[in-house]
Amino acid sequence: MGTRFPRREDNRIELSLRTRYDGRPPVKFPQSFIDDVRAAADIVTVVSDYVSLRKAGTSYKGLCPFHGEKTPSFHVHRDRGFFHCFGCGVGGDVFKFLELQEKVGFTDALRQLAQRFGIPIPELEQGEGVRETAAEREALLTIHEVAAAWFREQLASPAGARVLEYLRRERGLTDATIAALGLGWAPPGRDLLRQRLVAQGFTPAMIVRSGLVTRRDDGSEVDRFRNRLMVPIARDSGSVIAFGGRALEKDQVPKYLNSPETPIYTKSRTLYGLNLTKADLRKAGFALIVEGYFDFAQVFQAGGFPVVATCGTALTPQQAQLLRRFAPKAVISFDPDAAGQGAAERSSELLVTEGFDVNVALVPDGLDPDTFIQRHGREAYQRLLRQSRPYLEFLLDRAAAAHDLSRDDQRREFLRRMLTVAARIPDPAVRDQFADRISHKARVTEDVVRAEIRKAAAARRTELPVQRAAQLTTTLRASEKELLWSLVHEPETLSGALSELEAVDLEGLRSRDILLALGEVLEEGAADIPRAVLGRLTDQDAQFLTAVAAQAPPPTRGPHYCVTDLRIQRLKRERSRLQDEIARRQGVGGEEEALTGLLVRKHELSRRIAELEASLVGLK
């Protein structure tokens, strides 16, 4: 892949952090040592210490040690070095198996396997790469602290008075809350923050790396956030690592602009406000999860609530794992619109999968938590939370309301949907209780519903877990699936084709981080590509890859076809964004020159798309 795919900060540090972070500094081992242990540690031998395996075709099969089951759905692939359970969805390499089985971190699993298979453990040393990475992270953290202070200064200045008044009057926030949240204002100047950061001694390259300044095609550099209300986003430790910027003018788009991901900020691993409320979570024994900065701000201001916020999306597994360090239960209080309730449903199912007890609190009258508290006060919101309902009841009533159960076709559709939900419930007793509720709603005999649910649950032993199945069927393109399957089973076919990809082609794809890791492995010339890639992935991505690899081979169109298809889709996404920008500018005075440039770029994209689509004909 040459240098087209950017290297992640340090592969060895990435490996030591790919399980849950426990607060200790990362330990660095030479990559050659990790590769030697991976090659020596036979996964069948290791798993056989804990699971009775029998040969089943090209793999080994047994009862999963991570969830109770009577029919074996746990598979170990010796030649490819991974395991996968079709029942609970867990999967990964030999390191991940030992981590889960022994409940240890990656470093301890690595040491145990090295000792067992006779690989000498090298002395740890802080090499130049570690020092450079640590220095970069420290610089980025300092840049964000300087920026946060500067944004606060601007809000307190005479020019920021109107923004401060907006927070007080329209948002109902007190000065104490504004200060506690560290809210600020980015003035409309072109590069005012950049000037401040340069004056503080930061290099232009590091400032751009922070994401607070963007470099345009002509080489000029401008502030990412201009004329926006600034919301600092912090780690649970309190360090500012990113910002959210809210538009202050009606025609300003987008309404919310967030920092890009950087070496110190990963959106999927961050919960807004946790640094301020983690003690409340531990004291209350549950987490109140709301959606967005201002829902959090109003609930936080009300006082005493163990609240955290997502930022416009459903929870991720990494966020759930972070949350589990502080509380075993959760109450979801998302916006009442369709997007908010859909996110509540997805978040509830994910949290239950992660071992949480989950309730859903519905805010009445179409209000979000922010508006509800402003209108009705803290006590009314507290009563609403006391009336929150278990998530299965929430799902059942939501589905029933969406169907006319007096009609046979609608009743069948309702039952089909609820059977799918029931099949995800791991506890048979809870499944039976859910069956009783379904039968009551649909006016169907309980025994019939229970029997169908058992069939659905049994059938799922040969299917993917719901969240990964959904990802495969709704967000994973056929080209991605073929590349991932080939990565594990036919990695030698990929090298030439993947050299045609650029990192930008992967933006927004479910397979992005997996294919980036593959690019690194191919560039380094690793001997065992599948094992090397698995070793660089997060838990979620490792399980996703093994889930794809454990399925039947997809229709083969060849890696060059798949890569070309992904390139086409990226260009089409870019063209669609251009078209939106063209539509926004049309009819606006003084935009003729800009419109001409956009139309030229759109025409060029259409030409490139047509050329690539024509080339697909010869690749089929």
Side-chain angles (χ1 to χ4, degrees):
M1 285 190 187
T3 59
R4 290 189 163 208
F5 278 2
R7 299 292 296 277
R8 286 180 285 185
E9 25 184 333
D10 187 295
N11 294 331
R12 286 164 284 188
I13 293 178
E14 182 85 14
L15 282 168
S16 67
L17 290 177
R18 64 189 183 89
T19 54
R20 289 185 295 276
Y21 179 60
D22 61 4
R24 294 176 295 179
V27 177
K28 178 183 178 183
F29 287 102
Q31 185 64 49
S32 58
F33 167 66
I34 297 170
D35 291 340
D36 287 344
V37 175
R38 181 181 288 112
D42 176 64
I43 190 169
V44 171
T45 301
V46 174
V47 173
S48 294
D49 288 344
Y50 307 92
V51 180
S52 178
L53 297 175
R54 62 179 178 81
K55 195 82 164 60
T58 59
S59 66
Y60 292 80
K61 192 174 182 180
L63 294 174
C64 180
F66 306 118
H67 82 288
E69 62 176 10
K70 296 180 179 179
T71 303
S73 57
F74 183 85
H75 292 254
V76 181
H77 299 260
R78 169 177 272 156
D79 56 338
R80 298 302 179 190
F82 74 91
F83 70 93
H84 180 78
C85 176
F86 287 95
C88 66
V90 69
D93 59 8
V94 67
F95 297 115
K96 175 49 55 186
F97 178 85
L98 204 60
E99 290 172 49
L100 294 173
Q101 186 64 39
E102 295 292 340
K103 295 180 174 56
V104 297
F106 175 76
T107 301
D108 290 335
L110 178 63
R111 289 180 183 276
Q112 288 183 32
L113 290 172
Q115 291 169 351
R116 172 168 181 180
F117 291 93
I119 308 297
I121 299 175
E123 293 291 325
L124 300 181
E125 54 187 28
Q126 294 294 310
E128 188 64 28
V130 173
R131 287 194 293 272
E132 290 177 359
T133 300
E136 179 187 46
R137 287 175 173 272
E138 187 63 33
L140 292 175
L141 288 170
T142 305
I143 285 173
H144 279 78
E145 291 295 342
V146 171
W150 187 77
F151 290 139
R152 292 194 298 270
E153 289 174 16
Q154 304 312 304
L155 181 63
S157 71
R162 67 181 182 90
V163 183
L164 195 57
E165 190 66 11
Y166 162 80
L167 288 170
R168 291 167 175 165
R169 288 189 178 274
E170 294 191 35
R171 288 295 180 177
L173 299 182
T174 65
D175 289 349
T177 299
I178 292 168
L181 298 180
L183 301 182
W185 174 55
R190 186 172 183 272
D191 63 346
L192 298 177
L193 175 60
R194 181 184 181 279
Q195 292 179 35
R196 168 62 68 91
L197 293 173
V198 169
Q200 293 284 327
F202 298 104
T203 66
M206 189 61 71
I207 295 171
V208 171
R209 182 79 164 131
S210 74
L212 298 174
V213 169
T214 61
R215 182 173 291 142
R216 292 178 168 175
D217 293 340
D218 62 2
S220 63
E221 295 175 358
V222 298
D223 292 348
R224 176 179 295 274
F225 301 103
R226 301 188 299 277
N227 193 26
R228 288 182 178 272
L229 172 66
M230 298 304 296
V231 182
I233 300 169
R235 292 174 176 160
D236 60 284
S237 63
S239 301
V240 177
I241 55 176
F243 292 92
R246 191 195 187 281
L248 293 169
E249 309 296 339
K250 290 183 178 179
D251 60 349
Q252 196 175 356
V253 292
K255 184 177 181 180
Y256 283 95
L257 178 66
N258 295 317
S259 290
E261 295 199 350
T262 67
I264 61 172
Y265 172 59
T266 303
K267 182 178 180 180
S268 64
R269 299 178 184 273
T270 307
L271 283 166
Y272 177 68
L274 182 59
N275 59 306
L276 299 172
T277 60
K278 57 187 179 183
D280 295 324
L281 267 66
R282 288 195 173 106
K283 181 179 179 181
F286 74 94
L288 169 61
I289 305 173
V290 299
E291 189 178 23
Y293 307 127
F294 288 102
D295 281 350
F296 175 90
Q298 200 61 239
V299 176
F300 174 76
Q301 180 171 274
F305 291 104
V307 61
V308 295
T310 64
C311 297
T313 58
L315 281 174
T316 67
Q318 297 96 324
Q319 289 169 331
Q321 291 164 7
L322 172 63
L323 204 58
R324 192 165 51 187
R325 291 165 44 195
F326 301 96
K329 300 179 180 179
V331 176
I332 303 288
S333 181
F334 281 2
D335 290 355
D337 58 20
Q341 294 308 299
E345 182 176 331
R346 294 190 299 275
S347 296
S348 296
E349 293 183 17
L350 170 64
L351 286 167
V352 168
T353 300
E354 293 291 337
F356 284 81
D357 290 333
V358 183
N359 277 28
V360 175
L362 296 176
V363 184
D365 303 324
L367 304 178
D368 56 24
D370 175 12
T371 310
F372 183 88
I373 292 177
Q374 289 193 61
R375 290 187 185 179
H376 302 291
R378 181 186 189 280
E379 296 305 318
Y381 188 64
Q382 194 167 46
R383 287 195 298 271
L384 185 150
L385 294 182
R386 292 195 191 104
Q387 297 164 5
S388 64
R389 304 162 59 212
Y391 96 102
L392 285 178
E393 292 185 14
F394 163 77
L395 289 177
L396 188 65
D397 289 347
R398 188 164 181 256
H403 295 83
D404 181 357
L405 298 182
S406 65
R407 293 170 46 187
D408 288 344
D409 60 332
Q410 289 282 294
R411 188 184 298 117
R412 284 194 296 270
E413 177 59 25
F414 169 77
L415 285 170
R416 184 199 64 77
R417 166 71 177 124
M418 290 300 96
L419 288 175
T420 302
V421 173
R424 302 167 187 167
I425 302 172
D427 188 330
V430 176
R431 283 204 302 266
D432 282 347
Q433 292 174 4
F434 193 43
D436 295 344
R437 294 292 312 282
I438 294 171
S439 65
H440 176 73
K441 286 281 186 184
R443 298 187 296 279
V444 179
T445 305
E446 292 178 9
D447 290 342
V448 172
V449 176
R450 288 190 180 194
E452 290 301 317
I453 288 178
R454 291 190 187 107
K455 288 180 184 177
R460 291 197 71 256
R461 292 181 183 137
T462 60
E463 298 173 359
L464 292 173
V466 61
Q467 66 271 25
R468 278 170 280 279
Q471 288 167 333
L472 282 175
T473 57
T474 62
T475 65
L476 190 68
R477 294 187 60 82
S479 294
E480 291 179 86
K481 186 174 182 180
E482 183 176 336
L483 289 175
L484 296 184
W485 192 93
S486 298
L487 186 166
V488 174
H489 298 284
E490 301 170 348
E492 64 280 356
T493 66
L494 296 180
S495 181
L498 261 69
S499 65
E500 302 168 15
L501 276 177
E502 297 179 5
V504 68
D505 296 326
L506 305 180
E507 292 302 324
L509 298 185
R510 176 62 184 85
S511 61
R512 174 185 178 274
D513 288 347
I514 301 174
L515 293 177
L516 285 175
L518 173 61
E520 296 171 358
V521 168
L522 290 173
E523 185 177 359
E524 293 168 2
D528 192 330
I529 292 171
R531 286 186 175 90
V533 170
L534 278 167
R536 295 169 190 241
L537 301 180
T538 63
D539 294 354
Q540 186 184 13
D541 281 341
Q543 292 183 17
F544 188 82
L545 177 58
T546 59
V548 174
Q551 296 180 77
T556 301
R557 298 172 299 174
H560 286 281
Y561 182 102
C562 296
V563 165
T564 302
D565 176 55
L566 295 183
R567 294 176 64 196
I568 290 171
Q569 298 311 314
R570 188 266 293 182
L571 294 175
K572 286 183 175 180
R573 292 193 297 272
E574 188 174 341
R575 184 175 63 180
S576 177
R577 288 193 293 269
L578 271 179
Q579 182 57 49
D580 290 342
E581 182 66 9
I582 290 169
R584 189 180 71 81
R585 291 174 181 259
Q586 283 177 335
V588 179
E591 293 285 353
E592 291 78 11
E593 183 177 348
L595 270 173
T596 299
L598 292 172
L599 289 168
V600 169
R601 287 170 60 193
K602 179 186 173 185
H603 176 74
E604 174 61 19
L605 285 173
S606 297
R607 184 189 64 79
R608 291 171 61 191
I609 290 168
E611 289 178 351
L612 288 172
E613 287 179 334
S615 72
L616 285 181
V617 176
L619 293 173
K620 287 185 178 178

